[in-house]
């Protein structure tokens, strides 16, 4: 009754060739992005505030 004709072959997972390098700290791109976002927010906040005063 027990025949082993339909066995599934399960291969172990293949490990990546390149090791994963964990980066610590902020990069130059992160700092520039944050400066850009904050500069847009700080320059647009008076415009938005003035617009809200005019509309309300």
């Amino acid at each position: 009754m027990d025949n082993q004709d339909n066995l599934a072959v399960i291969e172990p997972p293949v490990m990546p060739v390149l090791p994963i390098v964990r980066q610590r700290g902020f990069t130059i791109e992160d700092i520039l992005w944050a400066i850009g976002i904050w500069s847009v927010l700080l320059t647009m906040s008076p415009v938005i505030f003035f617009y809200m005063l005019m509309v309300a």
Side-chain angles (χ1 to χ4, degrees):
M1 269 207 166
D2 281 332
N3 59 4
Q4 297 182 358
D5 293 337
N6 55 358
L7 289 178
V9 178
I10 300 174
E11 298 179 2
V14 179
M15 296 300 292
V17 178
L18 296 174
I20 299 173
V21 178
R22 295 199 181 263
Q23 195 174 26
R24 292 183 173 247
F26 296 109
T27 62
I28 299 295
E29 289 84 8
D30 294 333
I31 296 169
L32 290 177
W33 184 85
I35 290 173
I37 291 297
W38 277 106
S39 65
V40 168
L41 288 175
L42 291 176
T43 27
M44 289 302 291
S45 59
V47 175
I48 295 171
F49 180 71
F50 182 73
Y51 176 77
M52 293 301 288
L53 283 177
M54 293 294 108
V55 169

